[in-house]
Amino acid sequence: MKKYLSFFLAGVMAAAMLGGCGSAFDDGSSPTSAAGDSSAAQTQAAGQGETAQAPAGNTVQQGDNMIHIPSKNEFPTVDCQKNTEFYVVPLNIYDRLVECEMVDGVATIVPSLASTWDISDDGLVYTFHLRDDVTFHNGIKFTADDVVYTIERMMDPATAAMNTDFFSMIKGANAMLEGEADGVEGVKALDDYTVEITLEVPFGPFLANLATPSCSIYSREATEAAGDQFGIDPAVTVGTGPFKMADWVLNDRITLVRYDDYFKGPAKADGLQIIQVPDENTQKLMYENGELDVVDLSSSNSQLPYFMGNDAYKDNLVTGPEAGQYFYAFNQDMKPMDDVRVRKAISMAIDRQTILDQMYNGAGHVVNSMLPDGILGSYDAQEIPYDPEGARALLAEAGYGDGCELEIWQMTDNPDALAINQVVQSMLNEVGFKVSIKQIDEAAYYAERKEGRIGMTRAVWWGDFNDPDNFLYTFFTQRNTKARSINHKNTDVYQWLEDARAMIDEDERMALYQKIDTTMVQEEAAVFPLFQMDHIVVVQDWVKGFEVPWNGWTDTSYYKVSIER
């Protein structure tokens, strides 16, 4: 069987690459954002193929000390309250109250715009003491009022923000979002450099939450003056970060230049240029020609075998674990997945290590939990065995000794998903399943999933913030389990997830999350974890100081990266 599978894998991977292999982040877990009105406004501001330039003083530098990276897509906006992805610009032009950075190999919350903070004994009140030496790119001083403004702008219904969940736990935030209040009750500027934030109930992941790009801090004066051009027009889009926007040529490039008055000290590079390169093979050629300095192979995954198999580049690969994983989700409202024995049989019939080795060059490791390595609360979960004979026995025990039909759902035009689904189809057919693959367009997929009606599906989830809540609450609360088409019915888990959020003792909170994970993955087989990929980035010899970020994004801050030719 494995010899046959080897040929089969080679065939489906070749087909996927010929079709233009999709990004590993095109995952079926969350919809990609559409350009919508933001793109239209951007086109009006800059003009198709024309350059929108920042004010005098933001000269565009494109010398030897610029960092050049590719992007496969045009950005709809760099206003990260209105965008759920494309974080590379926000991570470099804005700052947050706190950041999550690797410290001695561990993802850690560190000070940023807030130098220190106090938390009340009941976990409800956070008092942030802000730096007094920070200016926005236009020279305006950063104060506590900008923090108040940022939070209230997010929760203002007129903003139509996409990321309100990041502030929704603050007292009075939802009242403002629903139009019942003019401001957020729980946010107060005690003085110019002290902000007090009061929560509705204790929320353990709150600090980790604040470190996400969506919680970037904006200038009240500059953002209000910019109006609907904020995040679109470089001339009026300012932050406090190490780089500032210089120009934006639609469908071509965004150029950032160093902000010399950055409060942590100037960046080492002159700037950062993000170049539109949709085709992954073109990215490879541009890298080999020296036109790109950094290429993240997690978003150019069809080129992974080339760079990993080429000895000339072995010293140019920077690696680290991705804070995310591939997995299959099972819809318990659909037969035969309503039977836990069938769900476990599916899991036991899939040879994850072979898939990882032959489809992804072994660039990762098999996981047995929804909490990937490196995430707070991750633990050594019990192995889910590859056992085809055991899978056949479970199927027979469930009353399917003669086999049963099973559908794997996916979006069309997703060759990466199709490739792995075809391999899994072959493996499941070997133990008695009769598997078909159902492909529907993106809009229909998300509409059906929201109503809890899609079948078994391959998904990928990457951590936005470093807390188990980001992985477990997202899929297993009563509301979310339907919206993700898992539809589990364990009411204890619903309550445990709410309890964990409100816990103040960190050790107790992590223990409960591990109990939830064990229940949902090991006991109920609501999902089947596959593997956690290595995050692999190829850099030029002259790129120094690049580190793989702790999270699951391809986007990162380039503040500490230098070009030394």
Side-chain angles (χ1 to χ4, degrees):
M1 185 239 178
K2 288 208 174 180
K3 183 177 180 182
Y4 163 78
L5 180 62
S6 178
F7 287 117
F8 184 77
L9 280 162
V12 295
M13 285 307 290
M17 290 181 186
L18 286 171
C21 188
S23 165
F25 296 87
D26 183 10
D27 55 41
S29 292
S30 59
T32 55
S33 60
D37 294 339
S38 295
S39 181
Q42 184 191 87
T43 302
Q44 183 179 2
Q48 187 71 19
E50 299 177 6
T51 303
Q53 294 191 349
N58 269 13
T59 54
V60 181
Q61 306 171 43
Q62 300 185 40
D64 287 344
N65 292 321
M66 289 286 292
I67 303 167
H68 303 85
I69 66 173
S71 173
K72 294 172 72 174
N73 302 289
E74 180 61 270
F75 304 158
T77 175
V78 298
D79 178 354
C80 47
Q81 292 190 355
K82 299 182 178 181
N83 185 18
T84 59
E85 51 186 336
F86 304 125
Y87 287 152
V88 65
V89 175
L91 284 167
N92 286 281
I93 67 172
Y94 308 125
D95 289 294
R96 290 132 296 272
L97 290 175
V98 297
E99 307 287 354
C100 187
E101 297 179 354
M102 295 298 288
V103 177
D104 296 328
V106 178
T108 305
I109 299 297
V110 299
S112 186
L113 294 175
S115 55
T116 61
W117 52 88
D118 306 310
I119 307 173
S120 63
D121 291 341
D122 61 6
L124 287 175
V125 181
Y126 289 71
T127 305
F128 294 94
H129 307 283
L130 309 179
R131 296 184 63 118
D132 62 3
D133 58 349
V134 180
T135 58
F136 289 93
H137 298 152
N138 58 1
I140 298 173
K141 287 276 287 184
F142 158 72
T143 69
D145 180 63
D146 296 309
V147 180
V148 175
Y149 168 74
T150 297
I151 294 172
E152 292 189 334
R153 180 182 186 267
M154 178 86 90
M155 305 313 294
D156 186 343
T159 303
M162 300 177 67
N163 293 306
T164 56
D165 282 355
F166 287 107
F167 291 142
S168 64
M169 70 292 298
I170 299 173
K171 187 175 183 180
N174 286 321
M176 185 177 184
L177 183 64
E178 293 164 7
E180 299 171 357
D182 294 330
V184 176
E185 178 186 351
V187 183
K188 297 178 181 178
L190 302 184
D191 56 44
D192 281 350
Y193 298 105
T194 311
V195 173
E196 181 183 270
I197 299 179
T198 302
L199 309 184
E200 292 279 5
V201 296
F203 183 68
F206 186 59
L207 286 176
N209 204 69
L210 292 181
T212 63
S214 300
C215 296
S216 298
I217 302 300
Y218 295 162
S219 161
R220 179 191 292 272
E221 180 179 336
T223 309
E224 287 184 339
D228 62 5
Q229 293 304 297
F230 182 80
I232 295 171
D233 183 355
V236 296
T237 302
V238 301
T240 62
F243 299 97
K244 55 189 177 182
M245 291 191 75
D247 74 347
W248 187 344
V249 182
L250 287 177
N251 301 312
D252 185 0
R253 68 177 186 271
I254 292 179
T255 303
L256 313 180
V257 296
R258 182 173 56 227
Y259 178 46
D260 288 331
D261 293 328
Y262 186 50
F263 67 93
K264 296 180 185 177
K268 296 180 179 180
D270 289 341
L272 175 67
Q273 193 165 82
I274 303 105
I275 305 168
Q276 296 296 310
V277 189
D279 181 69
E280 295 178 6
N281 191 58
T282 303
Q283 291 185 15
K284 179 193 75 173
L285 295 175
M286 290 179 68
Y287 173 86
E288 292 184 316
N289 289 337
E291 299 171 75
L292 294 174
D293 300 302
V294 178
V295 176
D296 194 314
L297 298 176
S298 293
S299 60
S300 187
N301 56 338
S302 68
Q303 304 306 309
L304 192 63
Y306 175 81
F307 283 105
M308 289 190 67
N310 193 329
D311 286 342
Y313 297 116
K314 64 181 181 181
D315 295 329
N316 297 87
L317 300 178
V318 183
T319 65
E322 285 184 344
Q325 61 182 288
Y326 286 74
F327 63 97
Y328 276 99
F330 304 125
N331 191 336
Q332 294 183 31
D333 279 352
M334 287 186 172
K335 289 187 177 297
M337 292 174 292
D338 59 336
D339 192 317
V340 66
R341 294 168 295 186
V342 173
R343 300 194 297 271
K344 289 185 175 182
I346 294 171
S347 302
M348 293 166 66
I350 299 174
D351 186 350
R352 296 173 290 173
Q353 190 63 54
T354 293
I355 296 173
L356 180 64
D357 289 343
Q358 298 195 28
M359 287 187 69
Y360 300 100
N361 275 61
H365 61 276
V366 168
V367 292
N368 299 288
S369 163
M370 281 295 284
L371 300 178
D373 292 348
I375 286 291
L376 183 68
S378 60
Y379 66 108
D380 187 15
Q382 180 179 342
E383 182 182 0
I384 301 171
Y386 169 56
D387 183 2
E389 290 304 317
R392 292 186 183 94
L394 277 177
L395 270 184
E397 184 182 322
Y400 297 108
D402 295 329
C404 62
E405 295 183 354
L406 179 69
E407 276 189 334
I408 300 177
W409 287 49
Q410 70 162 84
M411 288 184 286
T412 53
D413 301 320
N414 191 337
D416 186 60
L418 181 60
I420 191 171
N421 286 337
Q422 287 177 325
V423 173
V424 167
Q425 177 186 40
S426 173
M427 291 176 171
L428 293 178
N429 286 345
E430 288 283 325
V431 301
F433 288 97
K434 301 168 186 175
V435 180
S436 59
I437 297 173
K438 181 181 179 72
Q439 300 191 57
I440 59 176
D441 67 67
E442 181 177 354
Y445 179 94
Y446 286 120
E448 290 293 300
R449 193 188 71 172
K450 183 179 179 180
E451 297 302 319
R453 294 196 293 251
I454 67 170
M456 175 179 169
T457 187
R458 187 220 68 161
V460 184
W461 186 255
W462 309 113
D464 288 316
F465 58 93
N466 186 22
D467 197 275
D469 182 86
N470 190 210
F471 288 82
L472 301 180
Y473 198 92
T474 301
F475 292 96
F476 301 129
T477 56
Q478 186 169 9
R479 174 174 61 90
N480 290 343
T481 192
K482 177 182 177 181
R484 301 284 175 178
S485 284
I486 295 172
N487 292 311
H488 83 87
K489 306 298 190 295
N490 191 321
T491 56
D492 287 338
V493 169
Y494 301 157
Q495 187 59 52
W496 293 343
L497 285 163
E498 301 298 339
D499 293 344
R501 282 189 151 192
M503 283 182 172
I504 297 172
D505 185 287
E506 190 83 330
D507 291 338
E508 289 183 7
R509 197 165 70 90
M510 293 305 110
L512 183 52
Y513 279 128
Q514 290 171 11
K515 179 180 180 180
I516 294 166
D517 184 77
T518 299
T519 301
M520 298 313 300
V521 177
Q522 302 286 340
E523 297 173 12
E524 298 198 3
V527 295
F528 175 45
L530 296 173
F531 29 75
Q532 178 177 1
M533 301 296 293
D534 292 338
H535 196 155
I536 303 175
V537 181
V538 59
V539 303
Q540 299 284 7
D541 292 336
W542 52 81
V543 174
K544 307 298 179 184
F546 182 89
E547 295 181 353
V548 170
W550 72 269
N551 50 54
W553 314 317
T554 57
D555 301 327
T556 190
S557 169
Y558 285 85
Y559 170 59
K560 298 179 181 179
V561 178
S562 62
I563 301 294
E564 300 177 14
R565 295 181 187 272

